[in-house]
Amino acid sequence: MITVIAEIRTRPGHRESVLKAIEKLLPAVLAEEGCGGYQPMIDADTPAPWQKRSPDSIFMLEKWQSQAHLEQHLQMDHMLKHRETIKDSVLDTTIYVLDNA
């Protein structure tokens, strides 16, 4: 199982609309073969002075059975449509593919 952390950096004021688009996408992604989890996350509201905040970012925490499943996910029709839907709201995306140490 691999873990993916993707930071989706949105244009200021666009995070909520991208989150709504992700919510619509969730059932299709969770039903994909090899998907072990697909969770959008945002900054926690804490008083921690050392917390790095990213108010215009969404972090996707994903679990995939293999790299092949992840690659298949990226080519799914619903993902292609999703990227087209949010393209004007997203500045960039940084993707980390991680394995257990």
Side-chain angles (χ1 to χ4, degrees):
M1 179 88 41
I2 58 174
T3 300
V4 174
I5 299 173
E7 179 180 5
I8 303 165
R9 201 164 58 92
T10 66
R11 295 186 184 284
H14 288 241
R15 185 168 78 175
E16 286 305 314
S17 65
V18 174
L19 278 169
K20 287 180 183 175
I22 292 169
E23 284 179 33
K24 292 178 185 176
L25 181 70
L26 284 175
V29 174
L30 291 170
E32 288 180 38
E33 181 182 341
C35 181
Y38 195 79
Q39 178 67 49
M41 305 180 89
I42 59 172
D43 288 332
D45 187 18
T46 73
W50 39 261
Q51 179 181 356
K52 178 174 172 40
R53 296 189 181 270
S54 300
D56 295 315
S57 288
I58 300 163
F59 297 86
M60 295 303 301
L61 180 60
E62 308 175 26
K63 294 281 192 175
W64 295 97
Q65 285 182 4
S66 69
Q67 178 69 28
H69 287 103
L70 172 59
E71 290 176 12
Q72 181 178 340
H73 157 70
L74 295 172
Q75 298 306 314
M76 298 294 283
D77 190 48
H78 54 263
M79 288 305 299
L80 299 174
K81 289 177 183 174
H82 171 71
R83 285 194 291 274
E84 184 64 26
T85 298
I86 66 169
K87 72 177 182 181
D88 293 333
S89 296
V90 173
L91 294 173
D92 62 42
T93 302
T94 303
I95 300 173
Y96 300 91
V97 180
L98 308 169
D99 204 349
N100 293 333

